[in-house]
């Protein structure tokens, strides 16, 4: 096997990735013949007219056929679909935009500019958990906003029934800079070192646990910076390990596509597609999109575990073992991993932002840090309470 060929690798290492392999994948073409429900294919991205298809979603057989096509495109095709006129009536988007602008103003007055993933602080305005905040601020608008069979069908096409909706508003003002290229949640929010610890089959699993989407709250000409996308890039299996490399970033910048969106359009894509929000080079377009991160119903454990209490209970014993060397570090880390939450999500990103990285500190990471710092049980429990309060909805 070629030392750079990772097709059968058990783990993916960024140093072993070959940009030529990605280049070969993105040289494919998405033909109109392969997507019979699409009205057009632009820049390899299938375009669907929901004014035509929406009535078909009421029919079980046709709905399943449409969803099967969308899933096939996102898994094995270009990885991206555009649903034109996903909102037949856009008045509710305007009503929601007013609510979002009110929330942004209130949060800026309270907290200043918030942190964002893959973009410089202050480059845009972000509302974390816009889903719950819209519901709290105006339940009637929330109800009408998500009473949308197109959004539901796209979510179910990728994730199956009983999916979990989350959303975050991104408002990019004129002269707002572009994001860095990246992949998305789950593995896309991990550091390069952490990503390398996950076996290759988990890299395959991660994209099918989440659907990435965006609802256009205004007309978005290319100059306003709609999402830059690299069709077929989700097919590159080691992509979570590779996207930070300069040669991969250069290929993305050379080959990405952008599609203009009209208010009421929706964009959905496999979260493993390499992408980045574009630069807003206009003088008068404030580009607002509600970004959807839709999660699989199966992204849950079997039992409800009070891990905070477990951490509190074992910490004095772990500290004693750590300081005395009674348990070696690998075995001690294993025991902590059985008790502590090793994953930093879900959380409240308003109170627990990814400052200094892509994700907040996890309970397990804090536990290990506390041992190294020699924190007392009282100090440890006090900060556990703070962490829990930050993560609470």
């Amino acid at each position: 096997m070629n030392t750079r060929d990772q097709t059968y690798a058990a783990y993916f290492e960024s140093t072993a990735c070959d940009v030529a392999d990605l280049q070969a994948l993105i040289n494919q073409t998405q033909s109109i013949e392969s997507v019979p429900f699409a009205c057009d294919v632009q820049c390899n991205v299938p375009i669907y007219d929901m004014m035509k298809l929406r009535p078909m979603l009421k029919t079980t057989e046709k709905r399943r056929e449409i969803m099967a096509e969308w899933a096939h495109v996102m898994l094995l095709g270009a990885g991206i679909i555009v649903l034109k006129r996903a909102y037949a009536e856009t008045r509710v988007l305007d009503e929601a935009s007013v609510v979002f602008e009110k929330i942004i103003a209130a949060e800026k007055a309270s907290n200043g500019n918030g942190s964002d993933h893959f973009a410089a602080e202050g480059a845009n305005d972000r509302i974390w958990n816009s889903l719950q905040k819209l519901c709290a601020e105006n339940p009637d608008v929330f109800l009408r906003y998500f009473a949308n069979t197109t959004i539901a069908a796209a979510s179910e096409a990728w994730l199956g029934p009983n999916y979990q909706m989350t959303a975050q508003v991104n408002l990019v003002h004129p002269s707002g800079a572009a994001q860095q290229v990246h992949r998305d949640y789950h593995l896309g929010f991990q550091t390069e070192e952490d990503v390398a610890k996950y076996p290759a089959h988990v890299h395959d699993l991660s994209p099918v646990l989440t659907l990435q989407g965006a609802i256009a709250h205004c007309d978005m000409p290319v100059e306003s910076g709609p999402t830059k996308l690299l069709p077929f890039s989700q097919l590159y299996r080691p992509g979570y390990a590779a996207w930070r490399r300069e040669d991969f970033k250069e290929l993305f910048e050379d080959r990405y596509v952008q599609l203009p969106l009209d208010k009421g359009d929706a964009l959905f894509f496999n979260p493993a597609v390499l992408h980045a929000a574009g630069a807003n080079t206009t003088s008068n377009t404030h580009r607002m999109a509600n970004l959807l991160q839709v999660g699989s119903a199966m992204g849950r454990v079997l039992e409800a575990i009070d891990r905070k209490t477990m951490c509190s209970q074992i910490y004095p014993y772990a500290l004693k073992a750590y300081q005395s060397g009674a348990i070696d570090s690998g075995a001690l880390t294993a025991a902590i991993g059985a008790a502590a939450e090793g994953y930093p999500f879900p959380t409240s990103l308003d109170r627990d932002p990814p400052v200094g990285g892509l994700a907040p500190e996890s309970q397990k990471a804090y536990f290990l840090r506390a041992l190294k710092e020699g924190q007392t049980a009282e100090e440890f429990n006090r900060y556990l309470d703070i962490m829990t309060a930050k993560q609470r909805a």
Side-chain angles (χ1 to χ4, degrees), residues 111-284:
N111 305 319
N113 290 321
S115 299
D116 189 19
H117 294 292
F118 312 108
E121 184 174 322
N124 55 17
D125 288 319
R126 172 76 75 165
I127 302 176
W128 298 117
N129 195 4
S130 61
L131 183 87
Q132 185 173 335
K133 291 173 183 175
L134 176 62
C135 186
E137 190 71 28
N138 196 319
D140 174 60
V141 171
F142 175 92
L143 185 66
R144 289 183 286 115
Y145 188 98
F146 283 102
N148 186 297
T149 57
T150 297
I151 304 301
S155 301
E156 187 173 338
W158 188 241
L159 302 167
N162 307 318
Y163 52 82
Q164 307 165 70
M165 183 67 68
T166 70
Q168 309 84 35
V169 164
N170 198 22
L171 175 59
V172 181
H173 302 289
S175 301
Q179 284 183 330
Q180 303 173 44
V181 60
H182 59 281
R183 280 183 166 185
D184 243 308
Y185 190 75
H186 294 69
L187 285 182
F189 286 10
Q190 307 298 305
T191 66
E192 184 175 340
E193 294 74 20
D194 285 338
V195 165
K197 297 174 185 176
Y198 287 89
H201 65 269
V202 176
H203 288 239
D204 298 331
L205 174 65
S206 181
V208 298
L209 292 175
T210 309
L211 176 64
Q212 179 72 25
I215 300 169
H217 275 240
C218 64
D219 292 343
M220 297 181 182
V222 170
E223 295 77 17
S224 72
T227 305
K228 301 191 293 187
L229 302 152
L230 190 60
F232 299 104
S233 58
Q234 85 282 3
L235 299 174
Y236 184 62
R237 291 186 65 211
Y240 287 108
W243 64 258
R244 295 172 180 82
R245 285 180 37 155
E246 289 303 318
D247 51 349
F248 281 79
K249 292 179 181 179
E250 290 171 4
L251 179 62
F252 174 83
E253 292 298 331
D254 184 54
R255 296 287 298 274
Y256 74 79
V257 304
Q258 283 178 290
L259 295 172
L261 298 175
D262 298 319
K263 181 165 67 175
D265 291 350
L267 167 74
F268 286 96
F269 55 91
N270 182 321
V273 168
L274 292 172
H275 65 282
N280 187 346
T281 61
T282 69
S283 60
N284 57 2

Side-chain angles (χ1 to χ4, degrees), residues 69-135:
E69 181 170 308
W70 291 348
H72 187 269
V73 170
M74 289 190 285
L75 182 65
L76 299 173
I80 309 151
I81 58 174
V82 169
L83 308 182
K84 302 295 291 184
R85 296 185 284 184
Y87 283 79
E89 171 55 63
T90 60
R91 186 178 66 177
V92 71
L93 298 181
D94 295 332
E95 295 177 59
S97 294
V98 171
V99 176
F100 292 145
E101 288 165 359
K102 177 181 177 182
I103 293 170
I104 288 170
E107 292 185 350
K108 289 179 76 171
S110 175
N111 305 319
N113 290 321
S115 299
D116 189 19
H117 294 292
F118 312 108
E121 184 174 322
N124 55 17
D125 288 319
R126 172 76 75 165
I127 302 176
W128 298 117
N129 195 4
S130 61
L131 183 87
Q132 185 173 335
K133 291 173 183 175
L134 176 62
C135 186

Side-chain angles (χ1 to χ4, degrees), residues 295-315:
S296 167
M298 297 181 183
R300 305 169 188 251
V301 293
L302 181 64
E303 296 175 314
I305 306 294
D306 184 354
R307 299 194 181 277
K308 175 178 175 292
T309 297
M310 292 176 67
C311 287
S312 180
Q313 290 167 337
I314 69 169
Y315 181 77

